[in-house]
Amino acid sequence: MSGSTRWGRWAIPLAAIPVIVLLAYGFRTDPRAIPTPLVGKPAAAFRLKTFDGPEISLEGLRGRVVVINFWASWCYPACYEEAPVLERGWRAYKDREVMLVGINIQDKEEPAKRFLAQFGHTFPNAPDPAGRVSVDYGVYGVPETFFIDRAGRIRAKHVGAVTDAIFSANVDRLLAERP
Amino acid sequence: MTPEIGYAATIVAFGLALYGSIASAIAGRTGRRPLVASSERAAVGVLVLVTACMLLLIYAFLTFDFSVRYVAINTNRGTPFYYRITGLWGALEGSIILWTWMLALYTLIVVVQYRRRHPEFYPWVLSAMMGIAAFFLLVMTIPAPPFERLTPVPPDGRGLNPLLQDSGMITHPVALYLGFTGFTVPFAFALAALATGRIGDEWITITRRWTVIAWYFLALGLLIGGWWSYHVLGWGGYWAWDPVENAAVLPWLTGTALLHSVMIQERRRMLKIWNLTLVILTFSLTIFGTFLTRSGIIGSVHAFTQGTIGAFFLGFLALVLLTSFSLLAWRMDRLKAQGELDSIFSRESVFLLNNVFLVAAAFTVFFGTIFPLLSEAVRGVKVSVGAPFFNLVNIPLFLGLLILMGVGPLIAWRRASADNLRRNFLMPTAVGVAAAVIARALGIANSLVLLCIAAVVFVTGTIVLDFLRAVRARRRSGDGWAAATLGLLRRQNRRYGGFVVHLGILVVALGVAGSNAWSLHTETTLGRGESAELGGYRVRFDGLRASEESNHFKVTGTFTISSGVGSRDVLYPAKKFYAQEQNPIAYVDYRLGLIEDVYLVLGDFARDGSQATIKLQVNRMVSWLWLGGLVLTLGTGLAILPDRKKAA
Amino acid sequence: MSHPPLTRLAAAALLVVMAALPALAAAPVNEDTVREIGTELRCVVCQNLSVADSPSETANQMRGIIRERLAAGETPEQVKAYFVEKYGLWVLLSPPKQGFNLLVWIVPFVGLGLGLVLVAFTVRRWSRRPAAVPAGIPEMDAATRDRIHREMADMDRS
């Protein structure tokens, strides 16, 4: 009895250690950040009617670097923080084969239009009423921004408000690639 | 001024608790009585100071003192009066105060009750409890100070989370924390037993009532949580296997195992190591639960916040586990079972099985909850472990436990003869099987439900059988039925209190089975005047109404429900728009019934009130869960009645 | 509610046309299947609620997409695979029973098995100890013994 128990009795306190270590590892993870499996994959096609009237589709944008931003008028404060960034980015790059499209999800028309008016967005924005496009892009919150290369593949995804630096870094990188 | 006084009080309390813990430990080691007395005074001081902190914070709430950050976040000028008091525990810092206050209160109760009666344990128990209180006070001082100032002082606060503005929020944390902190006392006594080497049965006998009461409050807290989820969150369910829900049920499962296995130690002097392990595990799981809720490492609807507080709790958890289990390992030589067993058909075996099932369930829930973390750590892949997994693995375990509930109380100790088995179980088994057959004939096809019905009837049969026999035996000495019944309940209140608790569990089990198997759902869009039908009810959309409330804007729908019987009722589900919340909060309206509830949630609606989307549910048997809670209360009350002095 | 006969006729005609439309699109959708698939998918904006249970708008839209895909003829497996393709394995409410994830399915049962083995071992260890019979049990007098037998017989009869 004594032989195995002498050693075995310390097994229990020692067994606690790996559990504690695992829990400590938890501090390094963010349970809310879901890694996307879509980077490197072709971006899902969509055809939406913008708030202004004309339709916009991903196919029609082939050959250009495309930035898609998912937003909502109730997404406070992040969407409000990044809105000026997006407009600035658009104005800087719009003559350089870059397209910026805003997709409005789970929102009502009036507040969405008010949001657009408030920030004076000049790039196309379209509502996604049934959420098909947002699910097609694996969106799980707002704002989320996707950077798509000229060949139509998703190359980067940014969750949360974009900054000028993030916007230009990604667009420049994709622009530099020859089609 | 208030924040400064409060902060000072916290620091002083921490110092006192730390001092008391160390002084008591030294007293325990060296036997110096004055140190114990000094430590007791420190305990009183801690309670006074923590109470003062609570009152100061409540005062800040009531006077809209938005210079205190906690007040500014959790209340605003529109918050109703009673939520300004109970909102105290609506967020992290306040919940820590509540926990600490309960600990301080329990410590004082321990002081009053045990200072004369158990001088050998007492200093160590006091030391352990004050040490734990010191930790929580440390948390109140460093990572989660409730009295942090906010500058500049905002004109109005943010407001209490609307989901918390409900009676469930007032009672659920209180009950839950009474349960969690209640387990501190048996744990402290276990540590004292290990430290003094008096690891006989004393510590169990002393703490038995504490364990029962803590177990009860934990069960009550869980049920209230289920009720809150059911009538506030708008999904029509009461348990989602959310990580924080799991964290609360873990100590409840091991606590239930503890409640039963201590009976074996009391009667037969066995399982000493196991009981010590269980109580250490149960207490550790309460700390683990707190850690999970507050560290933010696993996303949950309950999770409060992150920051350094997680590290504090993890460190404390590590300290508790390593210290207690090392103490146990050190003393293990002295812990030998003294009883024998003659057959696997015995109450000891059944209780062992009960423990295995409960601990296996606890382990399953634990493993499933941390598995996403494990997967991410090992493979970098995020996975989810949710209801389908937990239900699949736990349902067989719980069904098994139901059956054991019927076998355990009646089977003989040491060895059950064939005669004993026949007398006690033949009739209930037959009735159970018959009930399942009848249920099948009545159209119930779900095999799990049939099993559940059979088990429930079986257990009820054993309880009734035992009770009737015992009453009849008492009647032979001349008592009438009433006198015999009451006398029996009083004399053997532990046993029959336990039976009533079992009955409560059966009621809850039926509620769970029925609600899962027989509830109906539908989702539809109705124009004004249109109706939807479900489960014999017809719901007609009559219109929408907008109103301005004290701290929110509300759109209420009017829906008339009629059932075939011709009774009519009107439901008013609503959507509440709070300024500080991004999404509207759904206000569910429902009609509760014994067998079924009608449950209506308002979804999307047209601005002009011409259309509304609704989620309509007819939930069956859910009320049985709340009824079961009532029965649990009665049973626990009976079980903890003080022992009558036996007549000389 | 009462409608004039013409409206009822129009409604009936509309119903007939509408009934025909899904047939043109392919399979009719069973709401139970939608719900079933919904219970296995995680609502991506909620904490731990299934798509079937969650009252959120996102879950609503996800249910709509499930319905659409089923109507287009996809099997439940294909619908689930679509969501996994977009969100990763995380969107399944319980991990698939393969590879590393088998661990979570097996470990609980292994644990239970170990527990039962431990219990069997303990029971055997307790049973092997010879019972120490205390010496000197006082003799019972006949009257008491008879009374005990009588009462036990009574209990057995009842």
Side-chain angles (χ1 to χ4, degrees):
Chain A
M1 180 75 146
S2 53
S4 58
T5 335
R6 184 143 296 274
W7 158 89
R9 64 174 68 184
W10 296 101
I12 309 178
L14 290 178
I17 297 183
V19 178
I20 304 281
V21 168
L22 178 64
L23 294 175
Y25 172 81
F27 291 130
R28 300 189 21 191
T29 68
D30 179 1
R32 273 172 268 256
I34 313 299
T36 178
L38 294 176
V39 172
K41 302 259 174 51
F46 61 82
R47 179 182 299 275
L48 294 172
K49 190 168 179 311
T50 60
F51 284 106
D52 298 324
E55 273 195 352
I56 187 162
S57 77
L58 187 62
E59 271 166 37
L61 302 174
R62 185 64 55 92
R64 289 193 256 183
V65 171
V66 181
V67 181
I68 303 186
N69 171 258
F70 290 88
W71 62 277
S73 67
W74 43 261
C75 143
Y76 184 86
C79 294
Y80 286 73
E81 277 169 16
E82 70 169 8
V85 172
L86 291 169
E87 181 61 21
R88 272 199 298 273
W90 169 241
R91 300 218 182 145
Y93 285 94
K94 66 189 212 209
D95 299 318
R96 297 173 55 185
E97 299 191 328
V98 175
M99 191 59 184
L100 173 58
V101 181
I103 299 190
N104 177 239
I105 66 172
Q106 293 183 28
D107 215 340
K108 297 258 185 346
E109 194 175 335
E110 267 175 50
K113 285 193 171 163
R114 254 187 307 216
F115 182 92
L116 291 173
Q118 177 178 349
F119 292 101
H121 280 340
T122 54
F123 55 91
N125 278 275
D128 178 25
R132 278 188 212 94
V133 182
S134 70
V135 171
D136 255 347
Y137 280 77
V139 171
Y140 63 91
V142 278
E144 288 184 15
T145 310
F146 293 80
F147 297 91
I148 301 171
D149 66 14
R150 300 176 195 260
R153 282 190 312 255
I154 299 178
R155 299 294 295 278
K157 170 178 174 177
H158 182 79
V159 172
V162 280
T163 61
D164 294 292
I166 294 174
F167 189 91
S168 31
N170 277 293
V171 174
D172 285 338
R173 180 171 61 103
L174 295 180
L175 271 179
E177 292 172 1
R178 291 285 104 211
Chain B
M1 258 324 270
T2 309
E4 280 72 32
I5 302 179
Y7 191 60
T10 313
I11 297 186
V12 174
F14 167 66
L16 282 179
L18 197 59
Y19 164 74
S21 178
I22 297 176
S24 244
I26 297 179
R29 196 88 176 79
T30 61
R32 289 166 50 184
R33 302 296 309 177
L35 277 179
V36 178
S38 164
S39 176
E40 287 173 356
R41 286 195 288 272
V44 173
V46 168
L47 180 60
V48 167
L49 286 170
V50 178
T51 311
C53 282
M54 265 181 81
L55 292 175
L56 278 172
L57 203 53
I58 293 182
Y59 178 70
F61 267 83
L62 288 175
T63 56
F64 297 116
D65 185 355
F66 295 127
S67 74
V68 179
R69 199 173 66 107
Y70 188 69
V71 176
I73 293 182
N74 289 300
T75 191
N76 59 30
R77 294 196 189 274
T79 307
F81 170 73
Y82 39 91
Y83 288 132
R84 275 184 276 137
I85 300 182
T86 58
L88 173 72
W89 51 81
L92 174 67
E93 290 86 349
S95 70
I96 303 277
I97 295 188
L98 185 65
W99 189 300
T100 314
W101 183 77
M102 287 180 181
L103 265 182
L105 186 66
Y106 279 164
T107 308
L108 206 60
I109 296 178
V110 163
V111 166
V112 167
Q113 283 223 312
Y114 300 121
R115 57 204 298 246
R116 302 255 181 268
R117 270 191 259 167
H118 302 284
E120 340 70 34
F121 283 141
Y122 179 60
W124 294 104
V125 175
L126 199 56
S127 172
M129 293 203 66
M130 296 205 78
I132 296 170
F135 165 71
F136 278 90
L137 283 161
L138 182 67
V139 169
M140 270 173 70
T141 314
I142 303 183
F147 291 105
E148 222 173 80
R149 268 207 180 275
L150 188 63
T151 46
V153 179
D156 199 358
R158 194 171 169 273
L160 189 61
N161 185 332
L163 288 175
L164 298 178
Q165 295 187 31
D166 177 82
S167 58
M169 189 277 296
I170 297 179
T171 44
H172 166 68
V174 175
L176 213 58
Y177 288 8
L178 282 174
F180 285 147
T181 53
F183 280 115
T184 311
V185 178
F187 173 70
F189 267 92
L191 282 186
L194 284 169
T196 58
R198 296 169 159 269
I199 35 199
D201 310 322
E202 267 181 289
W203 73 271
I204 288 193
T205 324
I206 300 169
T207 57
R208 186 187 67 84
R209 235 183 230 102
W210 285 97
T211 310
V212 172
I213 294 177
W215 176 90
Y216 166 69
F217 276 116
L218 203 47
L220 188 68
L222 287 167
L223 282 173
I224 297 179
W227 161 245
W228 175 76
S229 170
Y230 184 63
H231 83 273
V232 167
L233 292 185
W235 62 289
Y238 44 81
W239 187 264
W241 294 111
D242 179 89
V244 167
E245 290 174 356
N246 296 349
V249 90
L250 284 173
W252 184 79
L253 286 170
T254 57
T256 311
L258 180 66
L259 269 182
H260 291 86
S261 64
V262 297
M263 289 187 221
I264 297 195
Q265 185 167 344
E266 273 182 280
R267 302 289 166 79
R268 310 275 289 125
R269 296 206 161 40
M270 299 149 133
L271 291 183
K272 300 186 187 186
I273 303 178
W274 179 240
N275 284 326
L276 284 165
T277 309
L278 263 184
V279 78
I280 294 172
L281 205 57
T282 305
F283 176 72
S284 305
L285 284 171
T286 65
I287 301 297
F288 173 71
T290 315
F291 161 73
L292 213 57
T293 321
R294 288 164 180 76
S295 65
I297 66 169
I298 294 187
S300 158
V301 70
H302 290 72
F304 287 82
T305 185
Q306 296 100 298
T308 51
I309 192 171
F312 274 79
F313 273 99
L314 188 59
F316 185 60
L317 181 64
L319 184 67
V320 165
L321 282 172
L322 292 172
T323 324
S324 341
F325 281 125
S326 299
L327 274 174
L328 181 62
W330 172 48
R331 291 289 195 201
M332 210 176 270
D333 284 330
R334 300 209 203 173
L335 292 158
K336 293 271 194 336
Q338 295 164 255
E340 306 85 35
L341 198 57
D342 296 328
S343 159
I344 196 165
F345 293 104
S346 57
R347 196 174 297 187
E348 291 89 332
S349 302
V350 173
F351 273 49
L352 280 177
L353 264 182
N354 152 300
N355 265 232
V356 168
F357 282 5
L358 282 166
V359 174
F363 177 65
T364 305
V365 172
F366 175 76
F367 194 65
T369 306
I370 65 167
F371 187 74
L373 197 57
L374 187 65
S375 169
E376 200 172 339
V378 170
R379 293 167 72 219
V381 175
K382 264 199 161 82
V383 292
S384 300
V385 179
F389 165 78
F390 290 112
N391 287 333
L392 183 72
V393 186
N394 280 324
I395 287 179
L397 288 172
F398 289 147
L399 274 175
L401 279 167
L402 278 185
I403 298 177
L404 288 178
M405 235 168 49
V407 178
L410 265 55
I411 198 171
W413 291 99
R414 279 188 77 146
R415 177 175 24 135
S417 62
D419 206 50
N420 167 262
L421 290 175
R422 184 185 52 82
R423 264 174 17 120
N424 285 314
F425 300 114
L426 189 58
M427 191 273 281
T429 313
V431 178
V433 171
V437 169
I438 296 176
R440 182 74 185 82
L442 285 177
I444 299 174
N446 184 323
S447 48
L448 283 176
V449 174
L450 288 174
L451 258 172
C452 188
I453 291 178
V456 167
V457 172
F458 167 70
V459 178
T460 314
T462 60
I463 294 178
V464 168
L465 191 64
D466 181 88
F467 186 66
L468 280 180
R469 273 211 208 112
V471 171
R472 238 179 285 184
R474 279 188 81 93
R475 290 230 319 136
R476 251 172 241 132
S477 25
D479 287 337
W481 278 101
T485 310
L486 287 172
L488 183 68
L489 289 177
R490 188 62 188 89
R491 269 302 291 279
Q492 299 198 42
N493 62 310
R494 271 183 72 182
R495 182 178 175 82
Y496 291 99
F499 279 5
V500 175
V501 168
H502 283 179
L503 281 175
I505 301 287
L506 290 179
V507 174
V508 171
L510 282 177
V512 170
S515 62
N516 278 303
W518 301 326
S519 295
L520 303 168
H521 318 245
T522 188
E523 205 174 339
T524 184
T525 307
L526 297 174
R528 205 180 321 204
E530 285 181 1
S531 300
E533 292 203 14
L534 188 66
Y537 291 93
R538 169 182 276 229
V539 175
R540 188 186 72 214
F541 173 43
D542 291 330
L544 291 177
R545 181 172 39 97
S547 61
E548 192 80 46
E549 309 287 323
S550 67
N551 55 351
H552 58 274
F553 173 73
K554 189 160 141 179
V555 172
T556 315
T558 310
F559 294 84
T560 308
I561 21 164
S562 42
S563 63
V565 185
S567 62
R568 276 160 161 260
D569 212 339
V570 188
L571 289 179
Y572 302 99
K575 269 202 144 143
K576 298 188 186 179
F577 300 82
Y578 288 81
Q580 78 269 26
E581 299 294 324
Q582 288 174 357
N583 293 327
I585 311 283
Y587 174 80
V588 181
D589 205 3
Y590 45 84
R591 281 294 167 269
L592 298 181
L594 189 58
I595 303 294
E596 55 192 14
D597 307 335
V598 180
Y599 188 92
L600 199 54
V601 182
L602 179 64
D604 232 349
F605 51 85
R607 272 302 180 82
D608 57 3
S610 60
Q611 248 196 8
T613 307
I614 56 163
K615 226 177 156 204
L616 171 65
Q617 297 181 6
V618 177
N619 293 320
R620 303 249 162 80
M621 302 288 283
V622 177
S623 296
W624 285 55
L625 275 109
W626 329 129
L627 280 177
L630 198 61
V631 179
L632 276 182
T633 310
L634 294 173
T636 309
L638 184 60
I640 60 173
L641 287 177
D643 296 324
R644 283 237 305 255
K645 301 282 181 270
K646 306 259 193 303
Chain C
M1 44 188 162
S2 58
H3 294 284
L6 198 57
T7 324
R8 243 183 279 184
L9 193 60
L14 191 60
L15 269 172
V16 170
V17 173
M18 281 176 64
L21 279 176
L24 297 174
V29 178
N30 185 347
E31 274 305 306
D32 283 337
T33 318
V34 174
R35 203 185 148 70
E36 224 176 272
I37 301 179
T39 58
E40 296 181 45
L41 289 174
R42 179 176 183 153
C43 157
V44 297
V45 298
C46 322
Q47 305 287 10
N48 267 72
L49 277 184
S50 70
V51 165
D53 283 331
S54 165
S56 71
E57 182 57 27
T58 307
N60 206 5
Q61 292 184 338
M62 285 173 81
R63 284 194 294 270
I65 294 178
I66 295 175
R67 218 170 272 126
E68 231 176 60
R69 294 193 152 246
L70 285 176
E74 282 190 19
T75 67
E77 293 314 313
Q78 288 172 314
V79 175
K80 279 187 275 187
Y82 165 71
F83 282 101
V84 172
E85 185 196 325
K86 298 299 176 186
Y87 289 96
L89 278 178
W90 167 89
V91 79
L92 292 175
L93 253 187
S94 35
K97 299 184 180 74
Q98 57 193 154
F100 184 75
N101 299 314
L102 259 181
L103 213 59
V104 79
W105 293 98
I106 293 185
V107 165
F109 292 104
V110 166
L112 178 64
L114 275 175
L116 290 172
V117 163
L118 209 62
V119 163
F121 180 69
T122 312
V123 169
R124 261 185 7 143
R125 190 157 50 94
W126 286 349
S127 323
R128 256 185 283 134
R129 226 181 317 235
V133 181
I137 310 174
E139 261 297 313
M140 200 186 304
D141 69 74
T144 317
R145 201 197 335 237
D146 283 333
R147 188 167 141 235
I148 292 178
H149 283 175
R150 245 184 301 122
E151 299 208 356
M152 285 188 68
D154 276 339
M155 287 179 81
D156 281 350
R157 233 183 291 125
S158 52

